[in-house]
Amino acid sequence: MHRLPASDSRFPDGFLWGAATAAHQIEGDNTDSDWWEWEQAGHGAHPSLRAADSWNRWAEDIAVAKELGLGVVRISVEWARIEPKRGAWDYKALEHYADVLRGVRSAGLKTMVVLWHFTNPAWFAAQGGWTSVGAPGLFGMYSGVVAEYLCDYVDFWATINEANTYALKGYVEGVWPPGRTRDVLGALRVYRGLADGHRLARTAIKQACGERAEVGLTHVFAWPHAATEGGALSAPMQVLWNWLANDLFMDKVQGVTDWIGVQYYHDSPCRTFGVADGDGLTPRTDTGWRIVPEGLYRVIMRAWHRYQLPIYVTENGLADATDAQRERFIVDHLRWLRKAIRDGADVRGYLHWSLIDNFEWAAGFGPRFGLAEVDYRTFSRQVRPSARAFARIVAANEVAPDAAAGMTYADGTGPLGPEE
Ligand code: BGC
């Protein structure tokens, strides 16, 4: 484990810096997936169509990562492309991903591959998706086929991304496919299916690639805490939220994961009844999410104490079309991350969400999460100024004491780093 002196603003040697993407959000034309069907039926702000056209322009994405001096790129591979019909494997799609990963490696970066990032093959969804009894086995089989093909090009495997977000959006809120509302039983079945799927996928990857393959999963961790207004009696709500959003799923995979991908975007202020996103005065992102960098520290420390496993921060970022807040946001979050390392957590990397602007699910193309801006008419990529600031941090392996000096959030507050 890495230890750092308290006064040192550097990150541990070998700390991994990167950026993340996901197949459906960037590739375009993911026609055999349940998300494509959902969009074509008129759901969400826009259909994904060509997305960021990364299926064709992946080399430009890698060039962005290289230009920023990153050490790792995270992609996901698309199950609906690899197994467009049950049991029919598309080796051309696998070869495409092999090309991409070879491209990342030859640019001198490491690769992180996620096997499932919210989208399902349409045939899988039609037979009940993750609530069906056979789902974990089917996912295990798919994972084995992918692993056999891609082993040589993958440094970090992650099986599934954010079981909690998927269960919430697809089975409780109904804003993502399959569009169920208040189906709590369905959401619990999804947790079970994804946890079992993770376990089988990990076994399949290790069988194909060897025991030493590093297989983790990524999860967005909530930080429930008392809301400024009306939060005095929120302790039971905090316990409930921690259980629902964090422990209920993550405890199921305890003992069967090699590392944990911690993802964090915003906190969850609790009242006596409910979680109050609108609580209090705090800077906000373009999507209205609260900017509370301390939460990154809180979720890392909790995950570390509970699971004692290596942690990579595999997503953290914001929608910021004008790029006015991103540099401040990154610097403040990294200062809290560094404090977590100083306080004993074994955090080995930070991957920003996202490498490029992309299709933000039900919100469509409005929110701009990219280190590079995408022009959706020409599909050109342009590195944002905040990304250059991030690149300087990466190059120095340090958040210098004067980083983002004088910069505030849009509402005039900040910095929001820890007391050093
Ligand atoms: C997801 C991404 C998403 C991001 C921003 C995460 O929940 O993994 O797919 O784009 O957050 O909402």
Side-chain angles (χ1 to χ4, degrees), residues 318-338:
L318 76 167
D320 180 16
T322 60
D323 206 35
Q325 307 197 99
R326 192 171 280 103
E327 181 173 348
R328 178 81 269 162
F329 180 101
I330 291 175
V331 164
D332 286 345
H333 282 80
L334 288 178
R335 288 197 167 131
W336 279 106
L337 189 159
R338 207 192 148 282

Side-chain angles (χ1 to χ4, degrees), residues 99-131:
D99 277 345
V100 174
L101 295 169
R102 283 190 289 254
V104 175
R105 283 266 184 88
S106 58
L109 286 83
K110 291 196 157 109
T111 56
M112 182 179 283
V113 172
V114 178
L115 288 162
W116 179 87
H117 195 123
F118 299 150
T119 45
N120 300 302
W123 62 263
F124 175 86
Q127 61 181 60
W130 286 98
T131 58

Side-chain angles (χ1 to χ4, degrees), residues 25 117-118 161-162 263 265 289 315 353 360-361 369:
Q25 294 180 268
H117 195 123
F118 299 150
N161 179 68
E162 295 189 357
Q263 316 198 145
Y265 287 89
W289 297 355
E315 283 185 33
W353 182 272
E360 176 59 13
W361 307 112
F369 278 90

Side-chain angles (χ1 to χ4, degrees), residues 200-328:
L200 294 177
R202 179 169 174 264
T203 305
I205 295 167
K206 286 186 185 274
Q207 260 163 16
C209 311
E211 269 307 306
R212 293 180 59 190
E214 298 209 41
V215 188
L217 82 177
T218 61
H219 192 80
V220 69
F221 284 81
W223 177 39
H225 62 108
T228 328
E229 297 142 26
L233 295 176
S234 69
M237 182 51 71
Q238 292 177 49
V239 172
L240 177 68
W241 203 250
N242 252 323
W243 183 68
L244 280 173
N246 299 329
D247 310 338
L248 181 59
F249 181 77
M250 286 304 294
D251 287 0
K252 289 190 203 300
V253 296
Q254 195 165 13
V256 286
T257 188
D258 302 322
W259 56 272
I260 295 177
V262 169
Q263 316 198 145
Y264 173 77
Y265 287 89
H266 57 78
D267 64 336
S268 310
C270 295
R271 297 200 178 130
T272 312
F273 301 105
V275 176
D277 215 19
D279 176 74
L281 289 175
T282 193
R284 305 270 172 166
T285 71
D286 289 355
T287 45
W289 297 355
R290 294 160 53 87
I291 300 178
V292 185
E294 178 184 352
L296 180 59
Y297 171 81
R298 299 288 179 162
V299 298
I300 289 172
M301 293 315 288
R302 192 165 187 280
W304 169 244
H305 286 132
R306 201 169 173 93
Y307 304 113
Q308 298 278 309
L309 283 170
I311 289 173
Y312 293 86
V313 173
T314 40
E315 283 185 33
N316 170 241
L318 76 167
D320 180 16
T322 60
D323 206 35
Q325 307 197 99
R326 192 171 280 103
E327 181 173 348
R328 178 81 269 162

Side-chain angles (χ1 to χ4, degrees), residues 4-18:
L4 292 169
S7 59
D8 191 348
S9 55
R10 286 177 53 79
F11 281 75
D13 290 344
F15 190 80
L16 204 55
W17 298 99

